[in-house]
Amino acid sequence: MTEEKTAPATQRITLEMREPVRRILAAGNNDCAAQSFTSLFLWQEDMKLTICLREDAFAVRCGYWEGDCWFFPCGEREAVLRLVREILEACPRVRFLYLRPEDVSLLEEAFPDRFRVEHEDSASEYLYDREEYARMPGSRYQHIRWGINRLKRSHELRTEPLDARTADTARDLLSRWEPWGESAYFAPDHETAKQMLDHLRELGMTGVIVYVDGKPQAMAAGFPLSESSYDIAFSKALERERGLQFHVRRELIARLPDTYRIINGEEDLGIPGLRESKLQENPVGRIEMYSAYAR
């Protein structure tokens, strides 16, 4: 009788794992948003995530989709390959998510013809130049500047930091925010945003709230991915004017230290309106993402 293999044991993602996960990501030069500790912690309930955390690597199991689904392991090369082998032995039809190009190369080198790899355009993460986004120079930003300037001409705007003092204001803003049109896809992140507000300090997150005519109408928040990159994790605006959405993101970006050169705007999830918005912000590149299907 063939011995049945079991998948690597996983557990709930806790705040105590923040530093070990960050250390592993830094060692592997992995600064994508999807695999960051903060994203994993905040989305673990909605995406049914659990983690196998080891000294030199980790892998996240995802129960959101049917079948055996894992985020591609992160860490030192040999430790990553060990985890891939263990997962593959227990889950011969496994699907790996969030592979970067270098992860694809590693997988194809170590397991030739064992996986079918597909580019995931909707999961690829948009990258922006922090200084350029803060200044918005030239004709490429004309449309955004026009929307922001129209907003400023019509209303009195004020920005305050998102911190423990203003967290309740942000909670009230989120309670009044409603998804609309294509953005209905984002309804679950209400709870994720509330988790973020409950753990701002522990997660090292920063943010801003924008007041329009004295009323809180928009918020944006994010966190460092590395010493030089920062992720915009949440951006909500009650007003339907797109200028407000761009304005609140710009307010957050403009207040970041100069050490952050790259802003990660995360993925567009294949939603046309969201993709259009991210392209209007003039990305300087993307972190291309892939999925790998065992065969």
Side-chain angles (χ1 to χ4, degrees):
M1 180 179 295
T2 303
E3 181 183 356
E4 184 177 347
K5 301 289 185 178
T6 59
T10 63
Q11 58 185 309
R12 179 177 176 79
I13 302 167
T14 65
L15 289 169
E16 291 74 21
M17 298 175 180
R18 180 187 176 199
E19 287 309 314
V21 167
R22 289 180 62 183
R23 174 179 51 78
I24 291 169
L25 291 171
N29 293 317
N30 189 329
D31 59 356
C32 73
Q35 297 268 30
S36 67
F37 173 80
T38 301
S39 290
L40 298 175
F41 179 83
L42 291 177
W43 285 96
Q44 63 180 310
E45 298 298 335
D46 287 317
M47 295 189 70
K48 301 178 181 179
L49 306 179
T50 54
I51 191 170
C52 172
L53 178 59
R54 297 180 176 174
E55 179 66 26
D56 47 8
F58 71 85
V60 172
R61 193 165 198 168
C62 179
Y64 183 80
W65 288 281
E66 293 183 1
D68 295 310
C69 189
W70 291 73
F71 290 11
F72 191 72
C74 298
E76 298 180 2
R77 184 182 190 277
E78 292 307 316
V80 165
L81 292 177
R82 281 196 298 272
L83 269 173
V84 171
R85 291 189 187 98
E86 291 178 34
I87 295 170
L88 191 56
E89 287 179 0
C91 312
R93 304 299 293 177
V94 66
R95 173 190 177 191
F96 284 118
L97 307 176
Y98 298 116
L99 287 83
R100 302 164 299 160
E102 53 265 50
D103 300 323
V104 172
S105 297
L106 175 63
L107 194 66
E108 292 180 337
E109 175 188 339
F111 303 90
D113 301 321
R114 185 66 176 84
F115 289 88
R116 173 173 55 87
V117 176
E118 293 184 0
H119 180 239
E120 296 290 353
D121 191 58
S122 62
S124 298
E125 298 173 0
Y126 292 80
L127 303 177
Y128 303 92
D129 182 278
R130 186 203 64 82
E131 181 181 1
E132 185 174 277
Y133 197 108
R135 294 190 301 112
M136 292 190 172
S139 59
R140 292 194 304 148
Y141 293 94
Q142 182 176 354
H143 180 74
I144 295 180
R145 288 200 312 270
W146 179 83
I148 293 175
N149 290 335
R150 183 181 65 172
L151 191 69
K152 289 180 176 179
R153 288 193 300 269
S154 304
H155 304 279
E156 177 186 345
L157 304 181
R158 185 178 89 254
T159 301
E160 290 189 357
L162 173 58
D163 52 27
R165 181 180 58 86
T166 56
D168 284 343
T169 299
R171 289 187 181 93
D172 178 65
L173 190 154
L174 286 171
S175 72
R176 292 183 288 123
W177 180 83
E178 295 181 0
W180 57 288
E182 295 166 323
S183 296
Y185 184 94
F186 294 109
D189 77 3
H190 268 169
E191 293 303 317
T192 304
K194 291 174 184 176
Q195 276 282 90
M196 178 265 294
L197 292 172
D198 289 340
H199 299 287
L200 274 173
R201 183 181 58 81
E202 297 96 324
L203 294 172
M205 300 191 70
T206 56
V208 295
I209 298 176
V210 170
Y211 295 74
V212 180
D213 298 328
K215 298 179 180 179
Q217 293 292 301
M219 62 167 284
F223 56 90
L225 290 169
S226 69
E227 292 183 355
S228 61
S229 63
Y230 185 95
D231 178 72
I232 303 292
F234 293 96
S235 181
K236 305 292 186 192
L238 298 184
E239 297 291 335
R240 299 311 188 203
E241 294 183 66
R242 183 164 291 185
L244 181 56
Q245 186 72 271
F246 290 131
H247 176 67
V248 69
R249 291 163 67 85
R250 185 187 187 187
E251 288 289 284
L252 173 58
I253 290 170
R255 285 164 169 74
L256 295 177
D258 292 342
T259 51
Y260 298 117
R261 301 189 302 274
I262 294 294
I263 300 298
N264 188 311
E266 300 194 348
E267 70 270 43
D268 61 36
L269 300 169
I271 299 172
L274 185 58
R275 175 168 298 179
E276 177 188 356
S277 178
K278 291 184 183 294
L279 290 173
Q280 283 184 359
E281 294 175 295
N282 295 297
V284 295
R286 293 206 306 178
I287 299 177
E288 301 298 338
M289 291 293 182
Y290 299 80
S291 293
Y293 300 79
R295 56 190 177 188

